[in-house]
Amino acid sequence: MEHIDNAKLYQDDAYRFEYVAKFVDFGEHDIKAIESVADKIRPLVPVVVDAVYDKLFKFDVTKKFFVPKNEGFDGQAPASLEELTLDHPQIKFRKDFLSRYLHKLLNGPYDARMIRYLSWVAKIHIDTPEKKSKINVDYVHINALMGFVETTLVGGIMSLNLDRETEGAALSAFNKLLWIQNDFFARFYMKPIEPAKKPAASCCAALEQFALLPAIVGAVVGAAAIYFGYVHRA
């Protein structure tokens, strides 16, 4: 049985990545699976990006985060939620960011810089002292968005008419990778477990401490979705 330093999971990005990757069995075979389909997926990136922002604009609670001026955007921010449209320059700026992110996942390499990048992507969505903007996105929206991104990406991969082995390997690899990313989000939103001095106030309060739970549940749910998708198609 391997020992895992729980405190280090919240102090060392590489250590956390290594643990979660090992837990969900993300390894070289998954990286090779991503590389094998990367050229075919790249043309789908604009479709995925547009689908993501179409979804974000369907709810005021998610659209509102794009009204304040985003860090790094040099143009004029929209004056109101009603003024903000999908063709606004700030949305184009945000779409470009998401596009670069997806290309980064496709291009790699999966080294120490990639781990720092995945952590940075998560961290910029919360309010930190070093940020110029004070945009702080609630985790419920992040979690829902990651689920939508994966669903959209899965649909794109399954539209490529790949052979079953290649398709299955790619779906499995991206499922694991996106849940590793989701775990980095969870790291910044949830606190590590501390020795309990008294019973938790509620079951919900206790569950909030399990920062690794999204990655574990996501891996299981994603694998089940892929499996039943194959059963349905068979």
Side-chain angles (χ1 to χ4, degrees):
M1 180 171 63
E2 182 178 355
H3 171 69
I4 299 297
D5 185 336
N6 192 70
K8 194 174 180 180
L9 292 174
Y10 295 87
Q11 301 164 355
D12 187 327
D13 287 341
Y15 186 76
R16 188 181 183 102
F17 177 89
E18 180 182 352
Y19 165 67
V20 178
K22 188 178 296 185
F23 195 104
V24 300
D25 295 323
F26 180 84
E28 285 298 322
H29 61 290
D30 295 296
I31 296 173
K32 290 179 180 178
I34 292 172
E35 292 173 345
S36 72
V37 298
D39 287 341
K40 294 182 178 179
I41 293 178
R42 285 190 187 95
L44 299 177
V45 167
V47 178
V48 174
V49 170
D50 285 344
V52 166
Y53 276 86
D54 284 343
K55 178 64 71 172
L56 289 169
F57 268 51
K58 289 184 182 297
F59 306 95
D60 58 356
V61 74
T62 49
K63 184 181 178 181
K64 70 177 184 180
F65 292 111
F66 302 101
V67 175
K69 188 169 184 175
N70 285 197
E71 187 166 352
F73 177 63
D74 295 327
Q76 183 68 38
S80 66
L81 192 67
E82 292 70 29
E83 183 181 309
L84 182 61
T85 61
L86 285 168
D87 59 357
H88 191 280
Q90 180 154 269
I91 298 305
K92 183 182 184 302
F93 172 80
R94 296 302 307 173
K95 283 186 174 184
D96 288 345
F97 176 87
L98 179 56
S99 179
R100 290 195 300 271
Y101 168 76
L102 293 173
H103 279 292
K104 178 71 172 176
L105 298 187
L106 293 172
N107 297 337
Y110 284 83
D111 54 11
R113 287 189 301 174
M114 175 65 85
I115 295 173
R116 290 195 296 270
Y117 179 71
L118 296 177
S119 179
W120 174 78
V121 166
K123 190 175 182 179
I124 62 173
H125 287 81
I126 64 172
D127 187 10
T128 59
E130 60 266 29
K131 277 179 61 176
K132 294 180 181 179
S133 68
K134 294 302 177 183
I135 297 173
N136 192 42
V137 184
D138 297 332
Y139 182 67
V140 60
H141 311 309
I142 295 292
N143 193 46
L145 176 60
M146 292 301 295
F148 180 77
V149 169
E150 179 173 7
T151 300
T152 305
L153 189 57
V154 165
I157 292 173
M158 296 184 77
S159 73
L160 297 175
N161 296 317
L162 303 169
D163 64 84
R164 292 290 287 271
E165 183 177 354
T166 301
E167 180 182 76
L171 290 173
S172 178
F174 279 107
N175 170 59
K176 297 173 187 177
L177 176 58
L178 290 177
W179 280 100
I180 289 172
Q181 175 67 86
N182 198 21
D183 175 69
F184 273 114
F185 279 109
R187 177 195 169 186
F188 291 107
Y189 281 94
M190 301 180 185
K191 297 180 180 179
I193 296 174
E194 297 178 355
K197 296 181 180 180
K198 59 181 180 180
S202 68
C203 60
C204 295
L207 286 173
E208 287 176 354
Q209 297 177 342
F210 289 89
L212 294 175
L213 190 60
I216 298 170
V217 173
V220 174
V221 172
I226 293 170
Y227 170 76
F228 286 114
Y230 277 131
V231 170
H232 179 72
R233 292 175 61 195

